[in-house]
Amino acid sequence: MSTAYFQNLIESIETLSVEDQDYLFDLIRKRRIEKRRSEIAENAESILTDLQQGQAKIGTVDELISDLLEEDDESCLE
């Protein structure tokens, strides 16, 4: 989006009363929170699906590092 678009948007918001500006900011904040929650839920569903299909596994950071090092060692042998 262009700078001019944002400038026009800001100018439009500034014409609102303080109460309306506060309401708008609160509404935007709540919508962003809800969008982020939806993204997190979608990611969780994707991870659960991957776990069920055996495409992902649960482990500690140390186990992850070990797995990555093993994969690197195996690729060097090929």
Side-chain angles (χ1 to χ4, degrees), residues 16-32:
L16 298 172
S17 69
V18 172
E19 293 83 15
D20 287 344
Q21 287 180 27
D22 288 343
Y23 175 75
L24 177 62
F25 295 142
D26 189 47
L27 179 65
I28 291 169
R29 184 181 61 79
K30 287 179 181 177
R31 286 188 178 186
R32 289 187 44 83

Side-chain angles (χ1 to χ4, degrees), residues 1 4 11 21 24 35 38 40 44 49 51 68 72-74:
M1 289 187 210
E11 289 172 6
Q21 287 180 27
L24 177 62
K35 182 177 181 188
S38 294
I40 291 169
T49 300
L51 282 170
L68 291 172
D72 190 41
D73 288 344
E74 290 173 7

Side-chain angles (χ1 to χ4, degrees), residues 42-72:
E42 288 173 15
N43 288 338
E45 287 178 22
S46 175
I47 290 168
L48 289 174
T49 300
D50 288 348
L51 282 170
Q52 291 168 347
Q53 295 175 352
Q55 297 174 349
K57 60 183 177 179
I58 297 174
T60 66
V61 172
D62 290 334
E63 291 169 336
L64 172 63
I65 292 170
S66 177
D67 285 349
L68 291 172
L69 291 174
E70 286 176 19
E71 288 176 12
D72 190 41

